[in-house]
């Protein structure tokens, strides 16, 4: 009998017993002789005649199993699970098909969500979740984040989930070395409604586990495999053959997965796969060529760390003309992405709207210009650590981009130098650009801002961070031509920007400005806050951390005639702000949802306690 029900009854991992005893009321029709409570003062001569109480735990596990599976509802099963670990173990081993048909609950829709992390992730807790959620709507989403080799989640815990949670649709298994194909196969057989599966750092899972998923979970639409050293090409082939509802797949750092698996998957599923993410895999240009030929439905493509892919791979992917629906492309640390490959992608993807290039060291301004001329639907371009791109490539791209470009971002590109202020620059129009972000480009200065200000006159979101070459003059040139009103301005780390810039921003754009970040601008003083308080009407996010502002500036904000409705205020690292600002901060706190007063050494602990007590709606960092 024990083999039939898959338990032995004397497993070492569930020790302990029950203290529940049979009572006359629990079994009607059965005679129980009356029992009297022993008195403490009873003569010791009668101690040898004490009545021996009978425990239900003396029953074999097979009998307990038959009793427990006949409980009238899920609530009774949950209550019995609280008796002991032994009973919880038995209850969690009962699958829905083994529950007596006459007492089965209506199966839940699976709207409950549970998450276990670190030391809380154990087989025992999983068993409790499996039993407890069955009568409360059914478990629909389960996330388990283990603690590596110390993880206490094994196949036993997954088996309990499989038996008790047939409505499970979303499962995430992270960092669980003790979980193997056995546990995943149990899930696959008992939870056929799985739609989203995330496997990360589970070395015990191999192709066999994925084959079980493919054979049983036909509704699978989203699959993530990350750092699973046991998964190889055969598993991907099984997924490609059986999971016709698959719409998104992400594969990262799986050494046994190569061109054979990836190419087969994309050739088989390219007509319905929409999102493909390939990171740090041992694949070549063959896989990219297959994407280019068969990826008819692909809209989002992420290619990161593919060192085996050369220029030809990207060239074939673009010239295959199969990526007609591709809208978003992200390429990072791929040596094969060159000017030639970028031009081919632009020509072969007519609907391309978003491009992100990170650490593509062989892409230059020539490639950017070619992309601008070919990708006429491009709406946003993000460049980071692309050091071969210089100021002329930047200028060429902006001069040739289509009328749909709305966002441009440049970060950590060391090849950018400032324009010569004496040279004549063309004055094209880029009226569609709404968002401009330049971060940590040492050579970017005032002349470059002047160039941008000449034709980017409808900017609403400006981010200039960590630019030591930018001064008040450059920012003023960028602002003067703007005719729609800035909404967000971020000048953090621009150490040569002063109160004059803030005054100009508040006067010209005070009615539209909502967010202003001046973190680390060493020359900003109380004069900036006076200007904001006087001229800004809609600002709700203000960051003046690590500046020279003092109590006088905070007072100016609190007494603003425009009745500022600040929601987020950050003054971290402002050593000139003291306890004197307590009343003003409390006044501003009527609308605040976030306040940062970290590293304000002259604000005492008593003031912090008062703010914590009075501004109970506000999240305070101190």
């Amino acid at each position: 009998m024990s083999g039939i029900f898959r338990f032995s009854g004397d497993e070492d991992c569930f020790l302990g017993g029950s203290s529940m005893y049979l009572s006359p009321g629990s079994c009607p029709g059965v005679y129980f002789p009356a029992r009297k409570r022993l008195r403490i003062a009873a003569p010791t001569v009668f101690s040898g005649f004490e009545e021996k109480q009978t425990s239900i735990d003396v029953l074999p596990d097979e009998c307990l199993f038959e009793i427990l599976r006949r409980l009238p509802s899920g609530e009774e099963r949950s209550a019995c699970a609280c008796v002991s670990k032994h009973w919880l173990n038995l209850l969690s081993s009962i699958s829905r098909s083994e529950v007596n048909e006459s007492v089965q609950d209506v199966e839940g829709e699976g709207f409950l969500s549970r998450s276990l992390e670190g030391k809380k992730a154990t087989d025992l807790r999983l068993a409790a979740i499996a039993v407890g959620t069955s009568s409360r709507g059914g478990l629909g989403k389960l996330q388990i984040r283990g603690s590596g080799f110390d993880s206490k989640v094994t196949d036993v815990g997954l088996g309990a989930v499989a038996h008790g949670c047939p409505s499970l649709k979303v499962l995430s298994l992270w960092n669980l070395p003790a979980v193997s194909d056995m546990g995943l196969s149990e899930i696959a057989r008992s939870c056929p409604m799985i739609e989203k599966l995330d496997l990360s750092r589970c070395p015990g899972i191999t192709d066999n586990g994925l084959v079980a998923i493919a054979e049983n979970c036909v509704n699978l639409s989203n699959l993530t495999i990350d750092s699973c050293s046991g998964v190889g090409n055969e598993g991907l082939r099984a997924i490609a053959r059986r999971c016709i509802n698959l719409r998104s797949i992400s594969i990262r750092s799986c050494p046994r997965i190569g061109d054979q698996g990836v190419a087969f998957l994309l050739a088989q599923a390219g007509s319905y796969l929409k999102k493909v993410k390939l990171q740090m895999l041992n694949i070549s240009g063959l896989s990219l060529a297959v994407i280019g030929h068969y990826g008819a439905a692909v809209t989002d493509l992420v290619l990161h760390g593919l060192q085996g892919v050369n220029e030809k791979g990207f060239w074939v992917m673009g010239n295959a003309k199969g990526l007609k629906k591709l809208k978003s492309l992200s390429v990072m640390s791929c040596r094969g992405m060159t000017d030639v490959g970028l031009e081919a992608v632009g020509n072969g993807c007519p609907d391309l709207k978003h491009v992100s290039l990170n650490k593509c060291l062989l892409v230059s301004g020539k490639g950017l210009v070619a992309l601008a001329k070919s990708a006429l639907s491009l709406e946003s371009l993000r460049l980071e650590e692309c050091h071969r791109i210089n100021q002329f490539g930047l200028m060429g791209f902006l001069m040739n981009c289509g009328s749909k470009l709305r966002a441009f971002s440049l970060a950590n590109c060391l090849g950018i130098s400032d324009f010569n202020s004496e040279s004549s620059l063309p004055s094209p129009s880029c009226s569609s650009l709404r968002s401009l972000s330049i971060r940590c480009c040492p050579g970017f200065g005032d002349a470059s801002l002047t160039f941008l200000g000449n034709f980017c006159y409808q900017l609403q979101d400006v981010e200039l961070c960590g630019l030591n070459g930018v001064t008040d003059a450059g920012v003023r040139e960028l602002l003067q031509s703007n005719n729609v009103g800035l909404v967000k301005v971020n000048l953090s780390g621009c150490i040569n920007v002063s109160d004059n810039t803030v005054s100009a921003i508040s006067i010209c754009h005070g009615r539209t400005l909502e967010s202003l970040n001046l973190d680390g601008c060493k020359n900003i003083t109380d004069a900036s806050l006076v200007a904001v308080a006087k001229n800004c009407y809609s600002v709700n996010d203000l960051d003046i951390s690590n500046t020279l502002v003092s109590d006088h500036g905070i007072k100016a904000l609190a007494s603003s005639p425009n009745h500022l409705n600040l929601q987020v205020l950050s003054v971290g690292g402002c050593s000139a702000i003291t306890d004197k600002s307590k009343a003003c901060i409390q006044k501003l706190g009527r609308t605040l949802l976030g306040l940062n007063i970290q590293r304000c050494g002259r604000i005492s602990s008593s003031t912090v306690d008062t703010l914590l007590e009075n501004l109970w709606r506000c999240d305070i960092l101190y």
Side-chain angles (χ1 to χ4, degrees), residues 17-36:
S18 169
S19 60
M20 180 177 290
Y21 298 96
L22 292 173
S23 62
S26 62
C27 298
V30 180
Y31 172 72
F32 288 86
R35 294 197 301 251
K36 294 183 178 180

Side-chain angles (χ1 to χ4, degrees), residues 365 369 389-397 416-417 419-420 425:
V369 173
I389 296 174
N390 57 25
Q391 66 275 19
F392 299 106
L394 170 63
M395 180 177 67
F397 171 79
I416 300 291
S417 299
F419 289 106
N420 187 347
L425 297 175

